[in-house]
Amino acid sequence: MAAMTIEWKRGMPGKKTSKIGEGAPPEWYTAGLAHVWLPYAQMKRASPPLPVARTQGSRIVLADGRELVDGIASWWTACHGYNHSHIRAAVESQLAQMPHVMFGGLAHEPALTLAQRLAARLPGDLDRVFFSESGSVAVEVAMKMAVQFWLNRGVRTRKKFLVFSGGYHGDTSGAMAICDPEAGMHAPFRGLVPEHHVVDLPQDEESAAAFVHMLERHAAELAGIVVEPLVQGAGGMRFHDAAVLRALRAAADRYDLLLVFDEIFTGFGRTGALFACEAAGVVPDIVTLSKALTGGTLPLAATVASRKVFDAFWSDDPMHALMHGPTFMGNALACAAANASLDLFEREPRLRQVAEIAAALERGLAPCRGRRGIKDVRVRGAIGVVELDRIDDLERLRARFVEEGVFVRPFGSIVYLTPAFTIAEEELARLTGAVVKVVAALPR
Ligand SMILES: Cc1ncc(COP(=O)(O)O)c(C=O)c1O
C-alpha cells in the first residue's frame, strides 16, 4: 500500500506496485493521473482509481479487460444501464443537428419539450422549469428562488432555511451550507458558510416537538424547508416515511414557508415511484432534479417551481427577475438524452423492475441481518443498504469488492447498492452475494 501511495503521488502507478490489474496501465492513465484532482479523496492516501475502457448495461470493463458488475450506476444516474441504444441514438441525432446553443435569447425543441414533459409528470402545479448542469447548482437555484420569492414581496428577513440532520444537498457553498453541518463531509467549513437551522426529521414525539419549537422561534427568518424526500442519500442512506413529508407540508403551510424537495437522488424511479413526492402524495413548492434525469448520459439538472413561486417573479420590475443563467443551461444534447430517458420510463416497465429489484435486494441482503457488527439492513425501491457499526479501512473494503468482480463503493459505515433498473437477475445476485461475503469476512 505504501509503495502504491508513492507511485500514486507521482501519478505513475506502475504494473509492479499497482493492484489495478495484471498488465501495465494504459499510457493515458500513467501520463494523466498526476494531473487530476479526484473527488472526495485525500490525494496522499487514496487508492488509484480503476482505469475504465468502456461500459455496457450494468458492466464496467476495465482497461485490463476485467469486467465488474456495477452496483452504484455511477452515483445513481445510469438508471437504464450504460449505453442504452435509445438514449445513444437520440444524442447522436441531436449532435448532428445542434449540440448546444445558448439559452439566453434562443430556445430549442429538446429543452422546451423536456420542460413540458417534466411539468406534465410532476404532481400539482410544479410547472416552471429552470435548467442548469449539476445537482448542486439546481439546489443553489432553488435556494435563490426561495429567498427572492420573499424579497420580491418586500420581505428581507427570510433568508435562512430549515434543514435536517443527515441531509446532503451538494458541494457548492450555498448547497453545502444546508447539508448536515456535523456528520456531513463539509464539517470543516462550519462557521464559514451561512448558518441555517438544522433539526432531526420529525419522526417521533421528541423530534416533532423540537421541530415545532424551532419553527415557533425562527419561522420569521426562514425562506423555506429543504428536504430529501423519503431517502436521505449521501448523508447516510437513511429512510423516512411519507407521514414525515406530510408533516413538513402542513408545517410549511402553517408557518407560511416554501417547501423544497431535493429529488436529485430520489427522482426518476429510485424509490419505487417516478418521484418521491408522488409516492408520498405531497406537492412541494419547488423540486430539484438531476442525476438520472438524462439516464446518466450527460450532465443536466432542473429546478422546477410551482405557479405560486413563479408568480412572485412575474412583474414589471427588472429587479424581480431571477438573475441566474448557467452558460450550458438547457444543453441540447443533455435535453435530448433526458427526453429519451423519459421515453424509456414510458415504454419500458421501469417501475416494475424497481419493485423486482427491491424484492431481490431484500432476499439477497437478508443473510447480513442480525450479524455481529451489522447495525441495520434496509431496502427501499432500488436502494439496498447494509449499515455497519463501523468500517475501519474503507479503501481495503472497496478493493475487496473489486476482487469479487463488482463495483461497490462504501462510504462512512455504509455499504449500499443502487444498481441500474435494467440489471439482470444474476448480476444483482452477484452484487448481493459479494456484499454478504465481503461484509461477513470483516474483522469484528
Ligand atoms: C440529494 C442530492 N442533492 C444534491 C446533490 C448534488 O448533485 P451534484 O453532485 O450533481 O452537484 C446530490 C448528489 O449526490 C444529491 O444526492
Side-chain angles (χ1 to χ4, degrees):
M1 188 67 191
M4 190 159 66
T5 305
I6 293 163
E7 295 291 289
W8 157 248
K9 208 162 104 186
R10 294 182 190 143
M12 293 285 288
K15 64 179 172 187
K16 282 204 294 288
T17 51
S18 171
K19 287 189 182 147
I20 54 176
E22 290 306 309
E27 200 276 333
W28 58 260
Y29 183 85
T30 46
L33 203 50
H35 303 287
V36 287
W37 198 327
L38 297 164
Y40 307 120
Q42 171 44 265
M43 295 293 284
K44 187 174 178 188
R45 299 182 58 84
S47 303
L50 303 163
V52 178
R54 60 183 190 281
T55 52
Q56 187 61 47
S58 285
R59 302 289 173 128
I60 297 172
V61 182
L62 301 182
D64 63 8
R66 278 180 300 162
E67 235 179 78
L68 304 180
V69 177
D70 184 7
I72 308 298
S74 283
W75 279 327
W76 334 300
T77 61
C79 56
H80 312 288
Y82 297 113
N83 303 25
H84 195 289
S85 56
H86 181 61
I87 300 182
R88 203 173 59 217
V91 173
E92 278 170 4
S93 142
Q94 187 58 45
L95 182 62
Q97 214 172 317
M98 177 182 71
H100 178 73
V101 68
M102 64 188 274
F103 215 54
L106 300 171
H108 51 79
E109 184 275 326
L112 268 56
T113 299
L114 178 60
Q116 180 253 314
R117 290 176 81 180
L118 289 175
R121 295 309 299 253
L122 284 162
D125 63 357
L126 287 159
D127 64 8
R128 195 59 77 148
V129 181
F130 189 95
F131 288 115
S132 56
E133 357 60 340
S134 80
S136 299
V137 174
V139 169
E140 297 280 341
V141 171
M143 294 172 74
K144 193 164 165 181
M145 265 180 194
V147 171
Q148 196 176 349
F149 171 87
W150 293 108
L151 287 178
N152 287 359
R153 294 170 155 208
V155 181
R156 298 190 64 77
T157 48
R158 289 181 173 260
K159 49 185 192 278
K160 287 188 182 283
F161 290 90
L162 182 58
V163 293
F164 300 98
S165 39
Y168 174 79
H169 299 285
D171 301 338
T172 54
S173 53
M176 74 178 175
I178 58 167
C179 296
D180 186 315
E182 280 163 22
M185 61 180 101
H186 305 307
F189 285 87
R190 201 163 183 197
L192 301 178
V193 290
E195 292 205 5
H196 297 279
H197 295 294
V198 189
V199 290
D200 288 341
L201 279 164
Q203 304 201 66
D204 52 29
E205 236 173 80
E206 197 185 332
S207 52
F211 174 66
V212 170
H213 183 64
M214 179 66 87
L215 285 168
E216 278 170 358
R217 286 182 59 200
H218 297 290
E221 62 196 66
L222 293 176
I225 302 174
V226 187
V227 68
E228 293 160 89
L230 297 184
V231 179
Q232 292 180 302
M237 301 286 172
R238 306 187 209 184
F239 304 160
H240 55 266
D241 293 336
V244 171
L245 302 173
R246 288 195 289 274
L248 298 191
R249 180 70 271 176
D253 292 342
R254 172 147 189 227
Y255 291 90
D256 203 11
L257 306 173
L258 293 178
L259 181 61
V260 181
F261 277 6
D262 179 351
E263 292 236 24
I264 287 164
F265 179 31
T266 55
F268 303 103
R270 186 56 65 184
T271 68
L274 194 61
F275 300 107
C277 58
E278 196 184 316
V282 175
V283 183
D285 301 299
I286 301 175
V287 66
T288 56
L289 305 169
S290 188
K291 299 244 186 220
L293 172 57
T294 64
T297 313
L298 283 155
L300 185 68
T303 307
V304 188
S306 64
R307 237 164 273 156
K308 166 175 142 181
V309 172
F310 182 72
D311 284 352
F313 291 75
W314 186 263
S315 158
D316 293 319
D317 185 344
M319 297 307 281
H320 286 183
L322 178 66
M323 295 309 284
H324 212 95
T327 303
F328 281 100
M329 77 179 285
N331 174 266
L333 289 177
C335 290
N339 279 313
S341 175
L342 285 180
D343 294 343
L344 294 174
F345 276 105
E346 284 163 13
R347 285 182 205 165
E348 297 188 2
R350 285 291 174 272
L351 299 184
R352 200 188 71 212
Q353 287 168 316
V354 172
E356 286 164 4
I357 290 171
L361 287 170
E362 281 286 0
R363 279 194 307 276
L365 298 177
C368 293
R369 283 189 197 281
R371 278 185 184 248
R372 217 154 67 85
I374 294 183
K375 210 164 160 184
D376 191 27
V377 178
R378 51 187 180 268
V379 172
R380 177 162 292 176
I383 309 165
V385 183
V386 177
E387 182 171 352
L388 307 172
D389 288 336
R390 56 169 210 286
I391 296 175
D392 292 328
D393 188 346
L394 258 184
E395 297 287 359
R396 177 68 202 126
L397 187 58
R398 289 169 177 173
R400 275 292 298 120
F401 283 115
V402 175
E403 286 162 14
E404 291 297 320
V406 299
F407 185 70
V408 177
R409 202 172 155 77
F411 66 92
S413 56
I414 302 286
V415 178
Y416 72 98
L417 297 173
T418 51
F421 305 155
T422 49
I423 191 164
E425 212 179 314
E426 53 289 359
E427 290 173 323
L428 190 54
R430 225 166 121 201
L431 287 171
T432 52
V435 170
V436 171
K437 179 174 173 191
V438 169
V439 161
L442 283 174
R444 293 289 153 221

